[in-house]
Amino acid sequence: MFGLAVFALALPLVRILVDAPEFLIAHQLGTAATLAYFAAIIVVVPAAIAALGALPGRWGGYLRAAIVGVLCLLAVAGIAQPVSSLTGVFWLIVVAGGVGLAVAEHRRPAVRSTLAASGVLALLLGAWVVGPSRVGSFVRSGSQTAVASTTVGTDTPVVVVVLDEFSLVPVLDGELGIDDQKFPNLAALADTSHWFRLASSISPQTSASVPALLSGVEADPERVPVGSQYPTNLFRWLARSHDVAAYEPITSLCGALCDLGHPTSADATPARSIGDLVDDTGIVLRHALGSDEMRRDLPSLAQGWAGFRSSGAAGGEDAGPKEGGYGTFFSQTAELQRLLRTEPLSDRPVLRVAHLIAPHLPWVAMPDGTVHSGVQPAGLTQQGAALTWGSDQGQRRAGYQRYELQLGALDEAIGAMRDTLEEQGIWDEALVVVTADHGLQFQPGTLRSVQAGGVEVTSVPLLIKEPGQTRGRVDDGAALTMDIVPTILGALGIEAPRGVEGLDLLHDDVPERRPGAFLAVPVERVTPDQRRSALQAAVDRRSSWIDPDGGWDAVYQAGIAEPLVGRPLGELGAASPGGRWSRVAGEAGRRVTYSISGEAGARQVLLVCEGTIAGVVPVAGAADPLIGAGYASHEHCADPDAVELATRDSAGAVSILERTS
């Protein structure tokens, strides 16, 4: 039973986690805790299962048989993973193979002896964990190297905000400026900063792009994201002149250096409980042993390395304004405020660095600060380790609409950041950087595929406000996120350390092309397309879904060219009574999920508030009953619970629907 448990449970878990130290970092496990965690997986849990099987008596025999049966099913599920995409075949193999193995274990001593011998896997897995794996590198590396000596003193506060999964394309207007109607705070920051409009990420993989960004070097997925493996990181270089504070949910570059000034990561983010660790481990195990169809119903591992379940669901009936901190998105923006409001521990300036998992999936926030249930966008499915868009354009367009709405909420967080720094009296004198680790795309293919999305994946915001800067400047040079560290050091009068591969964007000559600067997945170095024409083409492509110059009204009627949101319903002509509709329970905020019956032939669903159209949903073909979801504009709908529905057919006829619940 010990050998069977190691094979069925420990092996599939270790197979995924042994090269994912990000999971351990996200759960705030140090070296000792990491070793204890893997010891529990490889030895303690299998031993406990074996002890249960050793219970005497008839009931002990029944328990042993039941445990062996379950373990046999799991063991075969692990073996059958190569055909997990063929759901019927997969389950046939699991059931037939699992039952056959359980019967053979009971009847044939040779099978039992073979399973007992598989207990030696525990030794091999332990050697794998501490040996030739990324977790082994993590265990051996420690968290940080010595503080670097700097020859130039500075009294300049530094604030670096790294956003996650933020493509520049949706925030641009038709002329490639930042849309100040929808994103006034980001536009205001650009008006007082150096905005590197054609800036590119260097990797779509967060655990590679963020540490490289904070160290000024090329992305390398083989490096463990800890300070000792990135010796040119910003924390090490400024720790002698600054108090250091950081919020790092996926990396650990600051490590012990934060203890020199601000142990903010530990204070702002309470250590995750054992229950969280067990829950997340269970979800990883289900990913490791399930079919592809089962994985689609699980929280995605691509959404981060901790809190999988909470990142897949937010809001609900009690979801409310942003001050309530509901959902993953607003908990992340709250971390930024905690970091900014940490009191200095000395008279030195402060380096504050925050990596926010925002505007990351699941895209539940609205511009007015409300949230809705965090179900994954339709059309986005788990394919292996990646999230993938299908061919349905309507689903991808709806996902893009959700993404823009969440960007509107993020813009409010950027405004709050500036307000906080102004309240503290350090905005004018501070060096402020706002950027992102990578973008994402909305073409068929994986969410971060540069081959499918191109500029949408590589193009990210990069805004750098120098101390005392009051006028903005747009720079169309081929900037990269790995240029941030040498640019910060140059602005502070500090020479960049040897080993930094980025450029000082404010003082060096920046070439028009950066060959091989982007590390795509699968591992392949490509040259990001940093031409202005490529960015314009991406904006134009998305304008068929949402008019980039149409303000928020255009977002609330994504996919419809005719201006409808904000118009009185009566302007569309006389309306006749139509079918019935009910609001599906479990939604909150301004997302209206509905079911329509008795109405066929609808081309559009109209969300109406007090006679004014507050949202429009295109309908692809007639359906009865029709189930869909739309968003009511906060500018045209004071009370989202007051939303009524109407439909419009291809001839323009409007039908008022009776609300049944």
Side-chain angles (χ1 to χ4, degrees):
M1 288 186 70
F2 178 85
L4 185 57
V6 170
F7 188 86
L9 297 175
L11 177 60
L13 276 173
V14 171
R15 190 176 65 238
I16 289 182
L17 296 179
V18 75
D19 285 320
E22 296 81 9
F23 180 89
L24 311 170
I25 293 169
H27 287 87
Q28 301 174 13
L29 302 183
T31 298
T34 294
L35 295 175
Y37 172 72
F38 279 101
I41 291 174
I42 297 170
V43 178
V44 176
V45 171
I49 291 173
L52 287 174
L55 292 175
R58 184 176 62 178
W59 290 106
Y62 291 155
L63 179 61
R64 181 188 186 282
I67 293 175
V68 167
V70 171
L71 290 178
C72 287
L73 290 171
L74 296 178
V76 175
I79 296 171
Q81 283 303 297
V83 296
S84 62
S85 60
L86 305 174
T87 303
V89 174
F90 173 78
W91 287 115
L92 178 63
I93 293 174
V94 169
V95 173
V99 171
L101 181 60
V103 171
E105 186 275 341
H106 178 69
R107 294 182 177 179
R108 297 186 179 278
V111 173
R112 200 172 307 150
S113 299
T114 301
L115 293 175
S118 67
V120 76
L121 270 176
L123 294 175
L124 298 177
L125 291 178
W128 191 13
V129 167
V130 299
S133 68
R134 294 184 74 233
V135 165
S137 297
F138 171 68
V139 169
R140 294 188 299 273
S141 65
S143 63
Q144 188 56 271
T145 54
V147 176
S149 59
T150 55
T151 57
V152 179
T154 176
D155 58 359
T156 301
V158 179
V159 177
V160 180
V161 178
V162 181
L163 303 168
D164 202 296
E165 229 171 50
F166 190 162
S167 174
L168 182 67
V169 172
V171 303
L172 298 179
D173 59 26
E175 300 298 322
L176 300 188
I178 294 178
D179 186 346
D180 58 4
Q181 296 182 69
K182 292 184 290 187
F183 310 105
N185 295 298
L186 192 62
L189 178 60
D191 286 342
T192 58
S193 305
H194 299 277
W195 174 29
F196 298 92
R197 179 163 49 188
L198 302 181
S200 172
S201 167
I202 52 177
S203 172
Q205 188 174 336
T206 300
S207 58
S209 62
V210 171
L213 179 156
L214 294 175
S215 302
V217 298
E218 290 184 342
D220 182 356
E222 295 304 315
R223 289 194 192 184
V224 178
V226 296
S228 59
Q229 299 220 352
Y230 289 89
T232 59
N233 72 75
L234 190 63
F235 303 110
R236 176 178 182 249
W237 225 250
L238 293 187
R240 194 173 296 278
S241 59
H242 288 65
D243 287 346
V244 181
Y247 173 64
E248 297 184 80
I250 293 178
T251 61
S252 184
L253 268 68
C254 191
L257 292 184
C258 280
D259 296 335
L260 298 178
H262 294 265
T264 311
S265 293
D267 291 347
T269 309
R272 294 184 182 274
S273 68
I274 295 296
D276 291 335
L277 181 60
V278 171
D279 187 56
D280 287 341
T281 302
I283 290 173
V284 172
L285 181 63
R286 290 165 67 189
H287 272 281
L289 297 178
S291 66
D292 280 4
E293 185 174 353
M294 176 191 287
R295 294 186 190 98
R296 294 189 187 105
D297 297 326
L298 293 174
S300 170
L301 301 186
Q303 293 187 26
W305 279 109
F308 298 129
R309 196 176 302 280
S310 63
S311 69
E317 293 183 356
D318 297 328
K322 59 190 175 189
E323 288 77 10
Y326 296 99
T328 299
F329 176 85
F330 288 123
S331 69
Q332 290 294 302
T333 57
E335 295 290 1
L336 175 60
Q337 282 298 311
R338 291 191 186 101
L339 183 73
L340 296 175
R341 294 185 181 279
T342 303
E343 291 294 329
L345 300 182
S346 72
D347 58 358
R348 301 194 303 172
V350 183
L351 165 65
R352 294 181 172 93
V353 177
H355 169 212
L356 305 184
I357 312 300
H360 200 279
L361 276 164
W363 310 332
V364 298
M366 305 284 283
D368 67 333
T370 56
V371 294
H372 56 81
S373 68
V375 293
Q376 193 157 276
L380 194 59
T381 59
Q382 188 86 29
Q383 299 289 337
L387 291 172
T388 301
W389 288 113
S391 59
D392 189 311
Q393 178 176 253
Q395 292 178 332
R396 289 183 284 114
R397 181 183 61 227
Y400 188 74
Q401 179 189 38
R402 282 178 61 163
Y403 184 62
E404 279 227 34
L405 293 171
Q406 184 140 308
L407 288 175
L410 181 63
D411 184 73
E412 292 294 317
I414 292 173
M417 173 194 73
R418 179 168 183 164
D419 291 343
T420 299
L421 295 176
E422 287 180 338
E423 289 172 11
Q424 296 172 345
I426 63 173
W427 170 259
D428 291 336
E429 63 185 277
L431 174 61
V432 180
V433 179
V434 174
T435 189
D437 61 347
H438 55 75
L440 73 168
Q441 64 91 29
F442 293 84
Q443 294 293 98
T446 57
L447 190 66
R448 302 176 189 172
S449 168
V450 69
Q451 289 79 14
V455 167
E456 285 185 295
V457 176
T458 60
S459 181
V460 293
L462 176 52
L463 301 105
I464 300 176
K465 187 198 80 68
E466 291 188 274
Q469 185 173 0
T470 58
R471 297 184 63 182
R473 182 175 71 91
V474 179
D475 189 317
D476 282 343
L480 299 171
T481 52
M482 72 175 182
D483 299 330
I484 290 173
V485 165
T487 303
I488 290 175
L489 296 179
L492 299 178
I494 301 172
E495 183 179 355
R498 183 179 301 175
V500 165
E501 297 163 310
L503 301 174
D504 181 344
L505 296 174
L506 301 180
H507 300 100
D508 293 343
D509 292 330
V510 180
E512 295 182 357
R513 195 169 180 269
R514 309 287 286 270
F518 187 84
L519 183 66
V521 176
V523 178
E524 176 191 8
R525 290 212 170 270
V526 298
T527 300
D529 192 342
Q530 294 183 272
R531 297 171 299 157
R532 177 169 174 154
S533 59
L535 186 60
Q536 184 73 63
V539 172
D540 292 344
R541 180 169 57 191
R542 293 292 161 245
S543 67
S544 64
W545 291 353
I546 297 175
D547 181 0
D549 298 310
W552 282 118
D553 285 359
V555 178
Y556 288 101
Q557 57 173 44
I560 298 172
E562 180 185 4
L564 293 175
V565 171
R567 292 175 59 183
L569 182 65
E571 288 186 0
L572 302 185
S576 60
R580 297 171 300 281
W581 79 282
S582 59
R583 185 164 181 167
V584 178
E587 295 293 336
R590 301 183 184 278
R591 174 183 164 105
V592 180
T593 302
Y594 52 80
S595 175
I596 297 176
S597 58
E599 172 74 5
R603 181 170 64 93
Q604 298 163 352
V605 174
L606 310 176
L607 281 62
V608 183
C609 278
E610 298 181 349
T612 299
I613 300 173
V616 185
V617 184
V619 177
D624 186 12
L626 174 67
I627 299 177
Y631 300 87
S633 166
H634 64 281
E635 296 177 350
H636 303 293
C637 188
D639 180 7
D641 289 329
V643 171
E644 299 296 336
L645 255 61
T647 60
R648 195 180 184 208
D649 64 20
S650 57
V654 177
S655 299
I656 303 294
L657 306 183
E658 176 188 357
R659 185 169 183 171
T660 59
S661 66

